[in-house]
Amino acid sequence: MKPIASKDIQTFLKRFDNFKDGKFRAIEVISPTNISITFAGQDSARGFDWISMKFEFNSVSEAKLLESKKLSLVDISDGINIIFEDDNFTFCVGNYESTSNAKNSICYIKSSTLKYQEGLF
């Protein structure tokens, strides 16, 4: 897994067009402070081929998660966002611009560290 630096978030999200029209594949609660999620999305660096992306959140301080059986029903046509505020990463489904607004998302995770791993579709 590779860490995402706060200065690289926007470039990273742009590469995957914020995972717009992607697919939510899995949420795994590894421990109360460690959560991973997996998405499928298109990678502009690979000619818009579909790939799998796993995010790992460590030192989670807040989260609003979906049940696994509901993941296939989630509409992510607006994509996802990752916000860095107050030394924390906040992941959310939708186009929210601040941590306080991200809490209105159907799914959000706030953590002190964020890593990712690319995989095959």
Side-chain angles (χ1 to χ4, degrees):
M1 297 222 118
K2 299 176 189 176
I4 297 178
S6 58
K7 65 180 179 62
D8 298 329
I9 292 171
Q10 293 310 309
T11 304
F12 178 84
L13 290 173
K14 185 177 179 181
R15 175 180 163 191
F16 299 100
D17 193 24
N18 290 63
F19 291 88
K20 290 178 183 168
D21 297 319
K23 301 292 179 201
F24 219 140
R25 290 212 169 145
I27 294 179
E28 180 182 4
V29 178
I30 300 163
S31 75
T33 59
N34 191 347
I35 298 171
S36 73
I37 59 173
T38 306
F39 279 96
Q42 292 181 290
D43 185 354
S44 66
R46 296 182 182 169
F48 296 96
D49 278 347
W50 284 85
I51 66 160
S52 178
M53 181 68 66
K54 182 176 184 177
F55 292 104
E56 183 176 289
F57 302 87
N58 297 300
S59 300
V60 173
S61 58
E62 286 182 60
K64 179 179 173 182
L65 304 176
L66 296 164
E67 295 176 48
S68 294
K69 64 184 178 183
K70 294 183 180 179
L71 294 180
S72 63
L73 305 174
V74 175
D75 176 12
I76 52 176
S77 58
D78 289 334
I80 66 163
N81 201 5
I82 300 170
I83 304 155
F84 188 76
E85 282 182 353
D86 302 324
D87 295 325
N88 285 291
F89 294 92
T90 301
F91 159 88
C92 60
V93 175
N95 190 19
Y96 297 95
E97 297 297 324
S98 69
T99 299
S100 60
N101 288 341
K103 292 179 181 182
N104 294 321
S105 173
I106 60 168
C107 179
Y108 77 91
I109 303 169
K110 182 177 177 182
S111 67
S112 63
T113 61
L114 174 58
K115 298 177 183 177
Y116 73 97
Q117 181 176 16
E118 297 175 33
L120 299 174
F121 180 67

